[in-house]
Amino acid sequence: MNLDELKTEIKTILSKKQLSVDHRLNEICSLLKDNIDYYNWVGFYFKNGNKKELKLRAYAGAHTDHVIIPFGKGICGQVAESNQNFTVPDVKAQDNYIACSIDVKAEIVVPLFVEGENIGQIDIDSHTINPFTEKDEVFLEFINAEVAKILS
Ligand code: SME
């Protein structure tokens, strides 16, 4: 599937109101991981209630111990505070990074906004070094905007 086909499929998944939001988010994670060769782990983290931490809500890929991530910690925790996309071409070059697996070489995290508030994020890990381009950012921003519609 190319990116346009994936976008259509994502809209279809999100429109399945008979499925829980968690189920739909998990389906999106699997769809992305299975169709983009350099997306090796795909997950959605959301702000955990009123706490200054993120909680993993849906994912596809290897099990991770990092279900809770405090704001400010790692790439994810930094995005929770900066409200900006964060592309990491080489995780070895990052000081504030939480390693999930030795296979991960690169990461991209894009915040998810509902009514202007940064409430979560999509996180992609890659086993390929420097794989992400602006196209990935635009694509992931599209996905988050579509997910925001079913959350608001
Ligand atoms: N590497 C992330 C932690 C989450 S895992 O990639 C699943 C980080 O530094 O925030």
Side-chain angles (χ1 to χ4, degrees):
M1 263 191 247
N2 64 31
L3 288 190
D4 281 337
E5 288 165 339
L6 285 171
K7 283 183 180 179
T8 304
E9 186 59 25
I10 282 159
K11 283 187 172 187
T12 303
I13 291 169
L14 289 171
S15 71
K16 293 182 191 166
K17 293 201 177 78
Q18 71 278 18
L19 300 177
S20 69
V21 171
D22 285 7
H23 190 120
R24 285 177 269 173
L25 291 177
N26 274 302
E27 275 197 22
I28 290 173
C29 292
S30 296
L31 177 80
L32 295 177
K33 182 183 163 291
D34 294 345
N35 285 280
I36 302 180
D37 58 357
Y38 57 94
Y39 285 18
N40 300 109
W41 188 94
V42 179
F44 285 97
Y45 284 93
F46 286 93
K47 189 169 189 280
N48 190 15
N50 289 327
K51 297 181 191 165
K52 287 205 166 285
E53 65 183 29
L54 295 161
K55 187 175 179 193
L56 185 62
R57 184 163 178 184
Y59 75 96
H63 165 84
T64 178
D65 290 334
H66 303 292
V67 174
I68 300 287
I69 299 178
F71 280 17
K73 300 279 182 199
I75 308 305
C76 297
Q78 291 178 76
V79 169
E81 292 184 330
S82 72
N83 308 326
Q84 306 281 328
N85 297 348
F86 197 159
T87 305
V88 180
D90 176 4
V91 296
K92 281 203 192 113
Q94 290 295 319
D95 293 332
N96 189 357
Y97 169 69
I98 302 166
C100 280
S101 142
I102 51 162
D103 297 324
V104 176
K105 304 274 197 305
E107 178 161 1
I108 185 169
V109 178
V110 173
L112 192 158
F113 299 96
V114 170
E115 286 159 16
E117 191 190 346
N118 177 359
I119 61 142
Q121 51 192 239
I122 190 166
D123 176 18
I124 317 286
D125 285 347
S126 182
H127 298 171
T128 304
I129 201 143
N130 195 14
F132 301 115
T133 68
E134 210 183 315
K135 274 192 186 158
D136 295 284
E137 288 191 53
V138 172
F139 178 56
L140 298 171
E141 285 169 3
F142 166 86
I143 294 171
N144 283 353
E146 290 299 314
V147 170
K149 290 180 191 169
I150 67 158
L151 298 176
S152 53

